[in-house]
Amino acid sequence: MVRSVENGGEAVEISPDHFDPTAVVPEPLPKVVESDGELLNGKSNGDREIVLGRNVHTTCLEVTEPDANDDFTGDKDAFMASILARYRKTLLERTKHHLGYPYNLDFDYGALAQLQHFSINNLGDPFIESNYGVHSRQFEVGVLDWFARLWEIEKDEYWGYITNCGTEGNLHGILVGREVFPDGILYASRETHYSVFKAARMYRMECVKVDTLVSGEIDCADFKVKLIAHKDKPAIINVNIGTTVKGAVDDLDLVIKTLEESGFTHDRFYIHCDGALFGLMMPFVKRAPKVSFKKPIGSVSVSGHKFVGCPMPCGVQITRLEHINALSRDVEYLASRDATIMGSRNGHAPIFLWYTLNKKGYKGFQKEVQKCLRNAHYLKDRLLDAGISAMLNELSSTVVFERPWDEEFVRRWQLACQGNIAHVVVMPNVTIDKLDDFLSELVEKRSTWYQDGKVKPPCIATEVGNENCLCTLHK
């Protein structure tokens, strides 16, 4: 809120005396309820439901009209500057305790500040000029060529674009598959990102969910059973290059082998690889299976704001050029063609990606991947040493462990949770010091949560396997 004073007979809004521009703005914790509606207040590991209609208006920043003589007084500018200063302080605090989501927050794009004065929009097909001249297609295609080399496809054999997020990459990949096989059935493991199932609903596709192993990988035995049950229709398959919760990498070669053994020739299936996070990390992991267009895959997508570290959501989607004509349409208004999902795209994002790829290169990314994997193993080992159930997949930097009992703790460290498990995604900005701070606080909190024996740590053997569960039943 602001107060007003008289200035020549007119009211002028100014900051209240108690307004502290350096204060951290607390965010309210969403209520947690059991399935019967009883509030848990974050003190139980029972069934949790998200409460709809959370009243964010209690913390929103109201938009107010400037005063008539504000150009003279400048009070509104000063007020907004103080709001932004306080918001920046909040961002610094929340970044310091950011562990559960796969975003690389270690970047510096100060050199690109000079471009913020321009409205850069990459309309339509990246490879065809349009009438709109304020674009960054030259950067976009340069980034796409870099990823094409990474995934082993020739320049004249691929088509792609910089998406507005990872979900758009999945929506596009599944859409291409649907256009190639209009009567095809979509197969996806139960631990697939929700955007793939969103695509199935949007495109009115028949979708078959496939069971997963304890690791989170697709269960190819169950996959084979379901393929044979629907062998009369083509298969559109989503392959996870790192699942959302456990960071599990589906065995692409085994998926292809299963398709072939089930009677599906290469002209009767389409594979989309969702590599949101690990699609860029996998090429730099020794012994990791290769994602390559030399194999019979149809498309690959990754997020640009995750491992790369772009300050705005974006992604990369690449598919085979031969598939794109079914989607592409002439747009006279643009004097171009368009086969993208959104049409207009953030023209700044390709420049940020181009800048990082040039600075780090393949060797730079390889060093960062190795650092993330080392730190992830460090966290997993420390958790187990502290008696906390934990699991880490071989090709992953996502450490899964028992869900903390206190939801305030979960919110403080911004942990991603599902049922009785939580995870930390170790990214380049997650240092050993940050992990030590997190571990020491977690161990201290657990000593109070479970001290009287009335509440016990959850058993997560079903989620991580008996060998990784340290509950009283599996120690």
Side-chain angles (χ1 to χ4, degrees):
M1 295 294 292
V2 295
R3 62 185 176 88
S4 63
V5 296
E6 294 298 321
N7 182 26
E10 297 183 1
V12 177
E13 295 176 338
I14 64 172
S15 304
D17 294 335
H18 63 272
F19 186 85
D20 181 4
T22 65
V24 175
V25 182
E27 295 184 22
L29 184 68
K31 292 184 175 63
V32 181
V33 299
E34 284 200 15
S35 55
D36 61 2
E38 180 184 352
L39 284 178
L40 293 176
N41 196 27
K43 302 301 182 185
S44 167
N45 281 315
D47 293 334
R48 297 169 172 86
E49 294 181 355
I50 296 173
V51 180
L52 299 179
R54 175 180 162 205
N55 185 11
V56 298
H57 290 284
T58 58
T59 58
C60 79
L61 294 168
E62 183 182 3
V63 175
T64 59
E65 292 296 313
D67 192 77
N69 63 352
D70 190 66
D71 288 341
F72 175 76
T73 64
D75 285 327
K76 193 63 176 282
D77 285 342
F79 175 66
M80 290 191 294
S82 63
I83 289 283
L84 293 174
R86 186 171 69 173
Y87 176 59
R88 182 178 184 277
K89 183 75 173 179
T90 300
L91 291 178
L92 289 171
E93 171 63 22
R94 301 313 288 141
T95 298
K96 191 165 61 176
H97 297 93
H98 184 282
L99 286 178
Y101 294 87
Y103 307 134
N104 179 7
L105 306 181
D106 183 17
F107 52 76
D108 181 3
Y109 290 107
L112 303 184
Q114 58 187 313
L115 304 179
Q116 297 306 303
H117 299 286
F118 300 98
S119 175
I120 309 175
N121 190 340
N122 288 1
L123 296 160
D125 193 309
F127 300 92
I128 303 174
E129 286 287 350
S130 80
N131 288 338
Y132 189 77
V134 188
H135 62 78
S136 62
R137 280 188 178 83
Q138 61 273 54
F139 294 92
E140 183 172 20
V141 175
V143 170
L144 293 171
D145 283 347
W146 189 92
F147 279 95
R149 290 195 298 273
L150 188 70
W151 295 324
E152 300 183 317
I153 186 169
E154 296 299 322
K155 290 182 180 181
D156 60 352
E157 294 179 356
Y158 87 86
W159 184 92
Y161 71 105
I162 305 300
T163 62
N164 290 301
C165 62
T167 287
E168 186 181 348
N170 286 340
L171 291 177
H172 193 276
I174 301 302
L175 179 60
V176 173
R178 202 277 308 270
E179 292 298 300
V180 173
F181 297 117
D183 61 338
I185 294 176
L186 175 61
Y187 297 85
S189 81
R190 295 187 181 278
E191 300 204 25
T192 293
H193 190 262
Y194 73 89
S195 61
V196 172
F197 303 114
K198 178 194 289 188
R201 292 194 305 274
M202 290 174 65
Y203 305 147
R204 305 291 177 122
M205 298 173 69
E206 183 178 353
C207 182
V208 174
K209 291 186 178 181
V210 182
D211 292 340
T212 54
L213 307 175
V214 172
S215 65
E217 296 174 53
I218 189 171
D219 182 348
C220 281
D222 183 58
F223 182 40
K224 188 172 187 178
V225 170
K226 289 171 177 172
L227 280 171
I228 293 174
H230 300 89
K231 60 183 178 182
D232 58 321
K233 290 188 176 181
I236 302 167
I237 308 97
N238 180 80
V239 170
N240 294 305
I241 313 302
T243 57
T244 308
V245 177
K246 297 180 181 177
V249 176
D250 293 341
D251 189 329
L252 175 59
D253 294 331
L254 184 56
V255 166
I256 295 170
K257 182 180 178 183
T258 302
L259 284 159
E260 294 170 344
E261 290 178 348
S262 302
F264 287 79
T265 54
H266 290 190
D267 61 348
R268 293 192 65 243
F269 67 80
Y270 179 97
I271 296 175
H272 170 68
C273 297
D274 175 11
L277 172 60
F278 294 109
L280 184 51
M281 298 177 70
M282 285 271 293
F284 307 109
V285 179
K286 292 181 180 178
R287 304 181 307 278
K290 205 168 199 179
V291 175
S292 168
F293 279 93
K294 291 183 177 179
K295 300 176 182 180
I297 65 174
S299 54
V300 185
S301 63
V302 298
S303 295
H305 56 290
K306 292 179 180 174
F307 190 74
V308 177
C310 195
M312 71 280 289
C314 62
V316 175
Q317 160 71 354
I318 284 184
T319 186
R320 296 181 186 273
L321 182 61
E322 64 190 82
H323 296 325
I324 210 63
N325 286 334
L327 274 178
S328 189
R329 297 290 184 272
D330 289 339
V331 184
E332 183 181 0
Y333 164 73
L334 301 178
S336 181
R337 290 177 68 83
D338 189 19
T340 68
I341 295 287
M342 301 302 292
S344 285
R345 303 187 304 287
N346 185 336
H348 289 272
I351 303 173
F352 282 87
L353 294 175
W354 175 89
Y355 187 85
T356 297
L357 296 180
N358 271 284
K359 283 197 71 172
K360 295 182 179 179
Y362 291 112
K363 290 184 179 179
F365 283 118
Q366 185 173 31
K367 288 180 181 179
E368 290 196 336
V369 168
Q370 291 169 350
K371 172 190 170 184
C372 290
L373 295 180
R374 281 197 308 270
N375 290 355
H377 279 278
Y378 172 82
L379 173 60
K380 186 259 296 182
D381 292 341
R382 286 286 310 275
L383 286 167
L384 293 175
D385 290 344
I388 302 171
S389 304
M391 179 190 79
L392 173 63
N393 277 308
E394 181 183 3
L395 302 174
S396 176
S397 66
T398 299
V399 181
V400 182
F401 58 100
E402 66 183 48
R403 181 174 187 155
W405 181 70
D406 187 353
E407 295 299 316
E408 290 283 357
F409 180 86
V410 169
R411 184 60 177 265
R412 169 173 163 78
W413 286 97
Q414 300 168 70
L415 302 178
C417 302
Q418 180 173 289
N420 283 328
I421 58 175
H423 75 207
V424 165
V425 184
V426 179
M427 300 299 286
N429 62 291
V430 177
T431 63
I432 292 293
D433 287 341
K434 180 179 282 192
L435 293 176
D436 284 341
D437 289 343
F438 168 74
L439 284 161
S440 61
E441 189 172 324
L442 177 60
V443 170
E444 181 184 352
K445 292 286 187 182
R446 286 179 91 252
S447 66
T448 60
W449 297 338
Y450 308 125
Q451 63 181 346
D452 56 9
K454 293 180 180 178
V455 180
K456 295 182 179 180
C459 172
I460 60 173
T462 302
E463 291 89 348
V464 301
N466 293 350
E467 68 277 12
N468 297 310
C469 183
L470 301 181
C471 75
T472 54
L473 295 174
H474 295 102
K475 277 186 179 180

